[in-house]
Structures are given as C-alpha cells and as structure tokens.
C-alpha cells in the first residue's frame, strides 16, 4: 500500500470514529431532552452543531492549524453525525398539520438560531485568535 492510501485510510478512520461518537452523542442528548419535548433534542443538537462546526473551522483549523484528518473527524464525522437536518425536516412535516404555529416556531428557532450560533462560533474563533496574538 503506498503512502497516499495510508493517508486516506487515516481520514476515513477519523470520520468513522468522529461519526460514531457524534451519533452516540446525538442519541444521548435526544434521550436526555426528549422527556421535555421531542423537538427540543433536535433543536439543541442542531444549534450546538452550528456553533461547533463554525468554531472548528475558524477557531481550531485556522488558529491551531490542525491536521486535515482531525478537522474531518470533528467536522464531517462528529458534527455531521451529531446534527440532524433530516430529523428536523421530518418533525416539522409531521407536526405542521396539527400544530402549525408551533411548527413554524420550531422552524424559525432552528434556522434563525442556527445562523446566530454560526455567528457566535465565528466570534468565539475571533476571540481565540485575539487571545493567541496577545499571549505571543
């Protein structure tokens, strides 16, 4: 096996492990929050995932310069398995006929909240960069 194939194997492995951990984390957050409301777990993981992915790309990758396999493991693997656009869409469609107002609030919170969490992740990354410059 040549060197290039070993490199790709490392990337696949990091996405696999990250996906496994992200999927299990998603399941556990859902179990923990579904006693309150079924859409609450979906909303929480999607909002946290928006923050984590942005912070991973702008904070960790650009400021710490992590290797590509680690970024793939965290972003594509963990966050990709942790967040759940398909469940979000399914829950919206299932609930819109009997609770249209609640369903549209759910939609708005996920979409607008997701954009805000991306903004907060970016601002956290900028703060990390500023802190790094101060301590040099």
């Amino acid at each position: 096996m040549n060197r290039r194939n070993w490199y790709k194997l490392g990337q696949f492995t990091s996405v696999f492990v990250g996906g496994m951990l992200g999927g299990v984390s998603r399941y556990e957050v859902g179990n923990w929050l579904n006693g309150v409301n079924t859409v609450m777990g979906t909303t929480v993981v999607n909002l946290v995932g928006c923050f984590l992915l942005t912070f991973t790309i702008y904070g960790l990758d650009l400021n710490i310069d992590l290797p590509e396999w680690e970024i793939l493991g965290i972003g594509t693997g963990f966050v990709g398995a942790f967040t759940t656009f398909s469940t979000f869409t399914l829950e919206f469609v299932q609930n819109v006929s009997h609770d249209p107002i609640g369903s549209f609030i759910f939609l708005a919170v996920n979409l607008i909240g997701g954009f805000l969490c991306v903004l907060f992740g970016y601002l956290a990354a900028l703060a990390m960069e500023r802190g790094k410059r101060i301590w040099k």
Side-chain angles (χ1 to χ4, degrees):
M1 188 176 259
N2 65 27
R3 190 171 201 278
R4 175 76 177 139
N5 290 336
W6 280 109
Y7 179 71
K8 286 188 99 39
L9 181 62
Q11 291 175 335
F12 291 138
T13 304
S14 70
V15 171
F16 174 78
V17 171
M20 178 188 62
L21 295 173
V24 169
S25 298
R26 163 68 182 103
Y27 176 76
E28 288 301 322
V29 169
N31 282 341
W32 180 56
L33 292 175
N34 279 341
V36 179
N37 187 338
T38 57
V39 298
M40 182 66 87
T42 302
T43 301
V44 168
V45 297
N46 284 341
L47 297 180
V48 169
C50 286
F51 176 87
L52 283 176
L53 186 60
T54 305
F55 186 75
T56 298
I57 291 170
Y58 290 103
L60 299 180
D61 189 26
L62 297 179
N63 289 311
I64 300 177
D65 194 29
L66 294 175
E68 183 179 358
W69 67 270
E70 287 182 12
I71 295 299
L72 285 170
I74 295 169
T76 303
F78 183 84
V79 177
F82 183 68
T83 59
T84 176
F85 186 75
S86 57
T87 303
F88 156 69
T89 307
L90 179 65
E91 287 176 352
F92 174 77
V93 169
Q94 285 176 333
N95 294 323
V96 74
S97 63
H98 64 81
D99 185 14
I101 294 173
S103 294
F104 281 100
I105 290 171
F106 171 65
L107 179 73
V109 167
N110 274 271
L111 295 178
I112 295 168
F115 283 116
L116 290 174
C117 286
V118 166
L119 176 64
F120 295 147
Y122 183 72
L123 293 174
L126 289 178
M128 181 182 184
E129 183 179 357
R130 283 190 214 111
K132 190 171 102 175
R133 281 185 283 186
I134 290 171
W135 292 103
K136 276 190 174 182

